[in-house]
């Protein structure tokens, strides 16, 4: 019995030591991100699985509670597909873009702004957060122009006016933005816009310090069939080489291009992380090891003194790459 008590005591000490180490490791990151804007594109499994939904909401509320200015941007393709199916309307795509006629844009807006946006706000409130739901139409935040008449009401973002978002952030709210946009001056139509692209442009307009995309993959992989081949850090100047040699291919290309657009617009750090991992946001924000793939411009990032723990980096010295989290 005495021996069992000793074992329990040792286990408790180990647990305490572990958690103390976690908190000590996280403290510098708490200090770094307080008062900074972080834009998160919320999608993938993290938006479909109930347990992952709750984990993401808890992460966002924690970030907001310690003073990080979090902006959550979401799409909702699968939910739109379900609703179109329920009303007997076929989903049509051209080059990966949803054909959006007048009836479909009504359904898109209903699902994104009326259903999903309010569900996310409700979950954040349940977790103790202060959240406000918006669409790109509110305050004329996102303006767009039609891409192609064949696609109908599918738009390309032309302007982002972030004043309403900045106002909410200053008051401590978590803005939750659905990606439906208003036409340019003189155009009263609403447009369905790509959530990845919109979130990158919102990050630029807000002067965000970090842009994070939650996805269904670990990040950029050297071999798509081997999750262990994750490339943890890619310098902006190496992106085109990775596209040319096929390392970045298929559905990863537009996600990386959104990171590139954010970087070129002045956002110092961009990330593609695995939303299937519970609390992946906290791991990225507050740990030495981070998670997923960081894409960054080495000319705009100040390096820490951390030591790299892996070698899957695109270029530069290991100590440099380990620094940029």
């Amino acid at each position: 019995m005495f021996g069992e008590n000793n074992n329990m005591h040792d286990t408790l000490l180990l647990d305490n030591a572990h958690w103390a180490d976690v908190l000590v490791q996280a403290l510098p990151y708490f200090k770094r991100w307080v008062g900074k804007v972080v834009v998160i594109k919320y999608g993938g499994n993290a938006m479909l699985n109930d347990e992952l939904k709750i984990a993401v909401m808890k992460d966002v509320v924690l970030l907001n509670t310690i003073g990080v200015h979090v902006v959550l941007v979401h799409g909702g393709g699968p939910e739109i597909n379900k609703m179109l199916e329920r009303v007997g309307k076929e989903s049509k795509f051209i080059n990966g873009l949803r054909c959006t006629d007048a009836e479909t844009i009504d359904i898109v807006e209903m699902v994104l702004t009326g259903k999903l946006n309010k569900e996310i706000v409700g979950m954040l409130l349940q977790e103790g957060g202060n959240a406000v739901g918006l669409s790109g139409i509110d305050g004329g935040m996102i303006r767009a122009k039609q891409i192609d008449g064949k696609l109908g009401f599918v738009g390309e973002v032309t302007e982002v006016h972030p004043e309403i978002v900045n106002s909410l952030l200053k008051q401590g709210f978590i803005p939750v933005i659905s990606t439906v946009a208003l036409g340019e001056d003189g155009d009263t139509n609403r447009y369905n816009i790509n959530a990845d692209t919109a979130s990158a442009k919102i990050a630029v307009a807000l002067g965000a310090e970090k842009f994070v995309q939650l996805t269904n993959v670990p990040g950029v992989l050297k071999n798509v069939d081997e999750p262990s081949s994750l490339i943890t850090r890619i310098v902006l100047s190496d992106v085109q080489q990775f596209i040319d040699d096929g390392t970045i291919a298929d559905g990863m290309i537009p996600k990386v291009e959104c990171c590139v657009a954010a970087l070129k617009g002045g956002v110092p750090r961009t990330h593609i992380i695995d939303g299937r991992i519970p609390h992946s946001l906290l791991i990225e924000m507050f740990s030495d090891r981070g998670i997923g793939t960081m894409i960054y411009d080495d000319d705009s990032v100040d390096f820490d003194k951390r030591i790299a723990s892996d070698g899957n980096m695109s270029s530069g010295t290991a100590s440099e790459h380990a620094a940029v989290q």
Side-chain angles (χ1 to χ4, degrees):
M1 187 69 167
F2 180 73
E4 288 179 4
N5 285 338
N6 272 347
N7 288 338
M8 290 177 63
H9 179 66
D10 290 345
T11 301
L12 183 60
L13 286 176
L14 285 172
D15 285 345
N16 287 341
H18 168 74
W19 286 113
D21 183 61
V22 168
L23 291 171
V24 168
Q25 185 183 119
L27 183 58
Y29 297 100
F30 288 173
K31 292 179 178 178
R32 168 182 288 179
W33 297 115
V34 168
K36 300 296 195 303
V37 176
V38 175
V39 174
I40 299 166
K41 163 49 178 43
Y42 177 44
N45 274 36
M47 203 169 173
L48 301 174
N49 178 286
D50 288 340
E51 289 183 6
L52 292 176
K53 284 181 187 178
I54 293 171
V56 171
M57 298 306 125
K58 287 181 181 293
D59 289 0
V60 169
V61 170
L62 175 58
L63 292 171
N64 176 254
T65 301
I66 68 170
V68 181
H69 297 315
V70 184
V71 178
L72 206 59
V73 183
H74 69 89
E79 289 283 351
I80 294 169
N81 290 341
K82 286 180 186 178
M83 184 59 72
L84 288 171
E85 189 175 324
R86 281 177 59 182
V87 301
K89 192 170 184 65
E90 183 183 357
S91 295
K92 296 180 181 178
F93 294 85
I94 297 176
N95 296 325
L97 296 173
R98 183 187 302 277
C99 294
T100 307
D101 59 17
E103 183 182 14
T104 302
I105 190 63
D106 286 343
I107 292 171
V108 166
E109 186 171 19
M110 178 178 68
V111 171
L112 293 185
T113 303
K115 181 177 185 292
L116 288 176
N117 187 267
K118 303 315 171 195
E119 284 181 0
I120 295 167
V121 169
M123 286 189 289
L124 288 167
L125 292 172
Q126 288 295 330
E127 295 301 329
N130 257 340
V132 175
L134 302 167
S135 79
I137 296 171
D138 294 313
M141 185 197 326
I142 305 175
R143 295 297 185 109
K145 65 179 181 181
Q146 189 178 53
I147 291 177
D148 186 332
K150 295 178 182 177
L151 291 167
F153 297 100
V154 176
E156 174 186 356
V157 177
T158 56
E159 301 174 41
V160 176
H161 301 279
E163 292 82 4
I164 189 170
V165 180
N166 279 322
S167 178
L168 290 169
L169 291 174
K170 288 176 183 176
Q171 296 176 69
F173 289 102
I174 304 166
V176 181
I177 302 171
S178 64
T179 50
V180 179
L182 186 65
E184 297 177 305
D185 289 346
D187 180 2
T188 60
N189 290 311
R190 296 149 296 144
Y191 290 97
N192 181 17
I193 54 176
N194 180 276
D196 292 338
T197 303
S199 56
K201 295 202 173 190
I202 289 169
V204 170
L206 290 170
E209 188 72 18
K210 188 185 280 278
F211 169 52
V212 181
Q213 296 182 74
L214 285 172
T215 68
N216 288 339
V217 294
V220 178
L221 303 174
K222 288 181 179 177
N223 183 336
V224 292
D225 298 319
E226 294 181 15
S228 62
S229 69
L230 175 70
I231 303 172
T232 57
R233 295 163 183 86
I234 299 176
V235 182
L236 177 60
S237 57
D238 288 347
V239 167
Q240 190 57 50
Q241 176 187 332
F242 278 120
I243 292 174
D244 292 343
D245 68 20
T247 301
I248 296 172
D250 302 323
M252 186 55 69
I253 291 177
K255 295 189 182 304
V256 170
E257 286 177 341
C258 288
C259 289
V260 170
L263 289 167
K264 289 183 176 179
V267 178
R269 298 167 175 83
T270 69
H271 305 260
I272 298 171
I273 69 174
D274 195 340
R276 299 170 300 179
I277 298 174
H279 303 296
S280 54
L281 276 172
L282 295 187
I283 297 170
E284 169 50 44
M285 296 287 295
F286 298 133
S287 72
D288 285 349
R289 66 191 181 97
I291 196 168
T293 299
M294 168 188 276
I295 304 174
Y296 65 99
D297 183 352
D298 57 352
D299 290 332
S300 65
V301 173
D302 294 327
F303 294 109
D304 297 331
K305 295 180 180 178
R306 286 207 312 260
I307 298 173
S309 58
D310 67 80
N312 285 337
M313 302 170 184
S314 72
S315 67
T317 67
S319 60
E320 284 177 338
H321 285 279
V324 207
Q325 206 59 277

